[in-house]
Amino acid sequence: MAIRRYFPWLLLACYAVALVWPQPELARNMLEIPGWPAWAGVPRLPLFLLAVILFSAALSLDVTQLRQVIRHPAAVAMALAAVWIGPVLLVLVAGALLPDAGLTTGPLLGMAIVAAMPVANSSVAWTQQSRGNLGWGLALVVLSIVLNPWITPQLLKLMGWSLADGQAVRVNELVAHFSSDVFIVWVLLPTAAGFGCRLLLGSRKTTRFVPGALVVSSVCLLALNYANASLVERPQPALLAVVVVLSIAMNLVGLGSAWLVTRLAKLDRSTHVALMFGLSMKHNGLALALGGAMLHDQPSAILFIVVAILVQHAIAAIIDAWAVRHSAP
């Protein structure tokens, strides 16, 4: 679909509009509709948009293709571990090496949130477009989301040790919400509902709804990005440079993990392509909805999440060009 191919450009246009024509009050109204009570202290609109994104993504995924990876349980376990190990180690190293004050404190908090996220649903679309192993792409998305409620809170606590005291407190608040019914109601249930609808309707009938679901989820993600980008004050060049460098570093760690898992498990090229997308792309829509709803007083943390979304799609486009160019005729 055209919206899938041009989504990175739409995202860039969204940020450009937020930069040239920021509307903080409009953005706050988008994120917090008057009269909508909060759910466990989190405004409901970002969670509602997140639920729509996850439902639409799950509806679009053909889980029957997961059968392709059943024969490689050890490789799947290695890949799932790599989803989190590399990014978490990067946050711990960055927290130890970078100063605890100044330009790095907010971005490190945003980096910790992104590192704890599961694999992005959009990685499946990039895998399919690049002729990678779709079964592996699906396996990483589905299994990482299923494991997320148990793994993410523990990883956030671990990474909190490397952050400044004030940021560690915010991490504890995120852990409290992540461990509560917020995640079950707004993340797991929509995902399960999307998979359930696909299984109930069947692949043929569901195919009719997939284009519309993709458009709806893309609009929701663009709205979340515009709203949060409008709330972020125009960053200093030095801060933006720090954020971009850290975002690229996280993607490079994911690509390095994909290369290592491919070599250790002796996987083929199409699976390597799927791993490159799966391990370098984080579910930043989830990070943006949860972090953006709770961290309005941490604009540089939100800035990292916003920039990370654009960076990972830009790098995915480069991987796609490489994969298509070197694919077998």
Side-chain angles (χ1 to χ4, degrees), residues 172-229:
N172 290 333
E173 294 175 0
L174 285 168
V175 169
H177 283 88
F178 220 95
S179 304
S180 67
D181 54 358
V182 171
F183 190 85
I184 295 174
V185 172
W186 297 100
V187 177
L188 287 186
L189 287 184
T191 303
F195 286 137
C197 286
R198 185 175 185 95
L199 293 175
L200 183 64
L201 295 174
S203 298
R204 290 185 179 180
K205 290 184 179 179
T206 308
T207 303
R208 304 174 187 173
F209 302 102
V210 168
L214 181 60
V215 171
V216 170
S217 63
S218 298
V219 170
C220 289
L221 185 55
L222 290 172
L224 273 175
N225 273 278
Y226 171 78
N228 283 285

Side-chain angles (χ1 to χ4, degrees), residues 6 21-22 26 32 40-41 49 78 86 93 109 134 164 197 241 258 277 296 323:
Y6 297 112
W21 189 60
L26 174 61
E32 301 182 37
L49 294 177
M78 290 171 54
V93 171
L109 175 58
L134 195 56
C197 286
F277 289 116
H296 288 322

